[in-house]
Structure formats: structure tokens, C-alpha cells
């Protein structure tokens, strides 16, 4: 009798739940090449306040930017070490004021620019000290303008003021809480001021306070829901949904802010909605559209939010909502 009453309660709760969104293919742009709107390993991707999409085009050593649906707006950068030059840039982010920050990976520095690519400043050099880098791979900006950077070989996160003054750091090589193995993706969730890191070599996601105190993690090596093979990118929405590019599994997974699995899409291939080593991911703040850097397919794909006609009664989704 008690069991039946419990099941009835679950049905009633499920009926009252809001629907979780699914994502369907909407469009794409790009192909292999060096012309306008072409890419050679697009990795980092970012959204500007005006809706423009910025892409770190790694092997073309440049940044390109577009309208939300792929109309070319402009680009800057060539191979080199001078101001405004790049060597294999992997990360890009747009600050609340519209300035663009780039993880200039193999130059071991960060550069920042106006929205149209005019050089503003830089910091960093090869090393292990404060403000030094060993292959910075991903970059994000907090609402207060602080800049966070992951480092591939120093296995840490550093953060700075908007002009590059060192503020703090955390992380070392390992498998423990707060340790990393070649961290890649990085995201700042403004709703709770938390920093999320795709801990690539450990096949997991970790999250921290804005000053680096460890809070939690999820994930392990595998192909199941909530498992990863070399996760690459992190993006979050204002309602606390976290998107992860599951690079080795050629898919996107998304979770609550504490790591409960919500949904996924994608498979290996070159068709619409398929991926070949996706890396960067960025959703609109409200989650209604998600852009993905489909790196080995040399293109950007974007997906729109949709809701099922019938609210799923998945126990996993119920747990995710109330966790």
C-alpha cells in the first residue's frame, strides 16, 4: 500500500515538472580552408553581447567573427609573435564590455582586443610562475571582468584582472580533488559564481568557487550518460545548465550545475548534427540556442532548443531537478 502511494506521488510530481529541453540541428557554416568563413581546426568559440560569434581558428592563426547564423563579419591575426599575431590560438572569450580575450596558446600568453580586433594589451610568457603560462588553452571572463585561464602543461587555473594583473591560481598534476591532467575547457557560471573545468585527461568535470576552492566533480571514462572521453569545452546558461563537449565520444552532454545528467545529442560523422572531435561550446544565456566548434569537420554547427510534446517521466530527470 505504501509502495503504491509512493508511486502515485511520483506520477503527480512528474506531471507537474517543467519539460527539459532537447536540442535539434538548426544550421552550420564553414569548411576546410583559409578563406573568409573557412577554418583549419576551429577550437574556441564565444558569444558577444550583440550576438556575434567569435571563433579561434587555430591552424589559420587568427580569430574570425560572424553573425549568429554564420555571415562573415571580420577577422584578424597572422602567424607570429608580435602584437596581434598568434601561434595556434585555442581559446577566445568576449568580456561584458565587448573586449575579446584570446588564449594565444603556443605563444604562452593572453592578448586582448576591441570587438573588431584592434590590439589593446597582452600578458604572459613561458614558465611556471605567477602570470606565466605553459600552453594556455581555454579562457573565460567573470561578470566583474576577471579573466580565468587553463594551462595544458602547468595543470592549473590562473585568474587575473581585466588588464592582466595576477590575482590567484589553483591546481597541480594528479587525480585528486582540485588536481588536473591537461585541463582544457573552462566556464564561469554567473548565477552562482562558480568555475567549471573540463579535466580532459581525467575524463571528468570539476567545479570551484571563483577563488579556486574545490566544490565537486562528476564523470569517469566511458560512453554512458555522464561519462566522458577527453571532454573539451564548457558552456553554461543563466538557469544553471552546463554543456560539455564530450570530444572523444563526438557528442554534447548537458547537466545541472551540480552534475546531474539531463540530456545529450550527437554521434560521430560529418552529417548535420554529427561531430568529429567537437571542442568549443557556447549557449545563449537563456539556453535557446547552442553553438559548437566541430573541430575536425572544420565548421560551426548550431542547435535550437525544443521541448517534447509529453513531459518525460524519467526518474533520472526528476532526481536532476531536485538534486
Amino acid at each position: 500500500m505504501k509502495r503504491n502511494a509512493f508511486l502515485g506521488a511520483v506520477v503527480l510530481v512528474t506531471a507537474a515538472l517543467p519539460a527539459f529541453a532537447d536540442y535539434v540541428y538548426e544550421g552550420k557554416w564553414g569548411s576546410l580552408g583559409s578563406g573568409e568563413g573557412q577554418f583549419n581546426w576551429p577550437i574556441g568559440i564565444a558569444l558577444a553581447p550583440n550576438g556575434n560569434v567569435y571563433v579561434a581558428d587555430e591552424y589559420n592563426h587568427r580569430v574570425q567573427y560572424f553573425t549568429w547564423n554564420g555571415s562573415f563579419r571580420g577577422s584578424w591575426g597572422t602567424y607570429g609573435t608580435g602584437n596581434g599575431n598568434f601561434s595556434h590560438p585555442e581559446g577566445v572569450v568576449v568580456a561584458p564590455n565587448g573586449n575579446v580575450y584570446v588564449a594565444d596558446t603556443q605563444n604562452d600568453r593572453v592578448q586582448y582586443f576591441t570587438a573588431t580586433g584592434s590590439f589593446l594589451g597582452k600578458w604572459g610568457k613561458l614558465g611556471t610562475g605567477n602570470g606565466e603560462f605553459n600552453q594556455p588553452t581555454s579562457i573565460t571572463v567573470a561578470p566583474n571582468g576577471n579573466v580565468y585561464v587553463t594551462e595544458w602543461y602547468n595543470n592549473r587555473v590562473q585568474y587575473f584582472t581585466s588588464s592582466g594583473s595576477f590575482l590567484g591560481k589553483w591546481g597541480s598534476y594528479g587525480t585528486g580533488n582540485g588536481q588536473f591532467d591537461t585541463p582544457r575547457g573552462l566556464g564561469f557560471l554567473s548565477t552562482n559564481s562558480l568555475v567549471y573545468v573540463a579535466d580532459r585527461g581525467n575524463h571528468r568535470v570539476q567545479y570551484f568557487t571563483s577563488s579556486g576552492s574545490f566544490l565537486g566533480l562528476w564523470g569517469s571514462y566511458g560512453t554512458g550518460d555522464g561519462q566522458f572521453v577527453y571532454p573539451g569545452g564548457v558552456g553554461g546558461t543563466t538557469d544553471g545548465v552546463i554543456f560539455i563537449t564530450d570530444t572523444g565520444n563526438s557528442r554534447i552532454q548537458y547537466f545541472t550545475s551540480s552534475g546531474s545528467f539531463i540530456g545529450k545529442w550527437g554521434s560521430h560523422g560529418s552529417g548535420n548534427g554529427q561531430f568529429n572531435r567537437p571542442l568549443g561550446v557556447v549557449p545563449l544565456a537563456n539556453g535557446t540556442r547552442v553553438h559548437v566548434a566541430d573541430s575536425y569537420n572544420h565548421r560551426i554547427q548550431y542547435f535550437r532548443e525544443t521541448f517534447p510534446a509529453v513531459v518525460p517521466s524519467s526518474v533520472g530527470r526528476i532526481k536532476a531537478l531536485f538534486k
Side-chain angles (χ1 to χ4, degrees), residues 235-315:
T237 67
T238 53
D239 60 354
V241 177
I242 303 297
F243 294 82
I244 307 294
T245 53
D246 187 5
T247 304
N249 283 323
S250 295
R251 65 184 181 182
I252 310 299
Q253 296 193 71
Y254 52 111
F255 304 85
T256 66
S257 60
S258 57
S260 295
F261 175 80
I262 298 174
K264 63 185 177 184
W265 77 89
S267 60
H268 182 77
S270 58
N272 295 341
Q274 294 184 311
F275 302 108
N276 191 349
R277 297 187 65 81
L279 284 166
V281 60
V282 60
L284 287 175
N286 62 8
T288 55
R289 180 176 292 113
V290 178
H291 286 79
V292 180
D294 187 9
S295 298
Y296 277 31
N297 282 326
H298 308 288
R299 66 185 181 182
I300 305 299
Q301 295 193 75
Y302 55 101
F303 303 83
R304 62 178 172 83
E305 181 184 52
T306 186
F307 291 91
V310 178
V311 178
S313 57
S314 162
V315 173

Side-chain angles (χ1 to χ4, degrees), residues 115-162:
T116 54
S118 296
F119 176 81
L120 294 174
K122 64 183 177 182
W123 71 89
K125 63 179 181 178
L126 178 63
T128 60
N130 296 342
E132 296 178 327
F133 300 110
N134 194 341
Q135 299 220 353
T137 54
S138 190
I139 190 166
T140 193
V141 176
N144 66 0
N146 287 345
V147 179
Y148 292 74
V149 183
T150 52
E151 295 178 71
W152 185 267
Y153 289 120
N154 282 332
N155 291 292
R156 66 183 180 182
V157 176
Q158 294 191 75
Y159 61 108
F160 307 86
T161 66
S162 59

Side-chain angles (χ1 to χ4, degrees), residues 69-95:
N69 58 354
S71 295
F72 178 81
R73 296 296 305 276
S75 66
W76 71 91
T78 56
Y79 180 78
T81 60
N83 296 341
N85 295 140
F86 300 111
S87 180
H88 300 274
E90 293 192 15
V92 63
V93 68
V94 183

Side-chain angles (χ1 to χ4, degrees), residues 142-213:
N144 66 0
N146 287 345
V147 179
Y148 292 74
V149 183
T150 52
E151 295 178 71
W152 185 267
Y153 289 120
N154 282 332
N155 291 292
R156 66 183 180 182
V157 176
Q158 294 191 75
Y159 61 108
F160 307 86
T161 66
S162 59
S163 57
S165 296
F166 175 81
L167 293 174
K169 64 183 177 184
W170 71 90
S172 61
Y173 178 76
T175 60
N177 296 343
Q179 295 184 308
F180 302 110
D181 182 353
T182 58
R184 191 156 208 160
L186 183 65
F188 192 97
L189 192 60
S190 59
T191 51
N192 53 13
S193 297
L194 300 186
V195 179
Y196 291 77
V197 182
D199 187 5
R200 178 186 176 275
N202 285 322
H203 311 287
R204 65 186 183 183
V205 174
Q206 297 192 69
Y207 58 106
F208 306 85
T209 67
S210 59
S211 57
S213 296

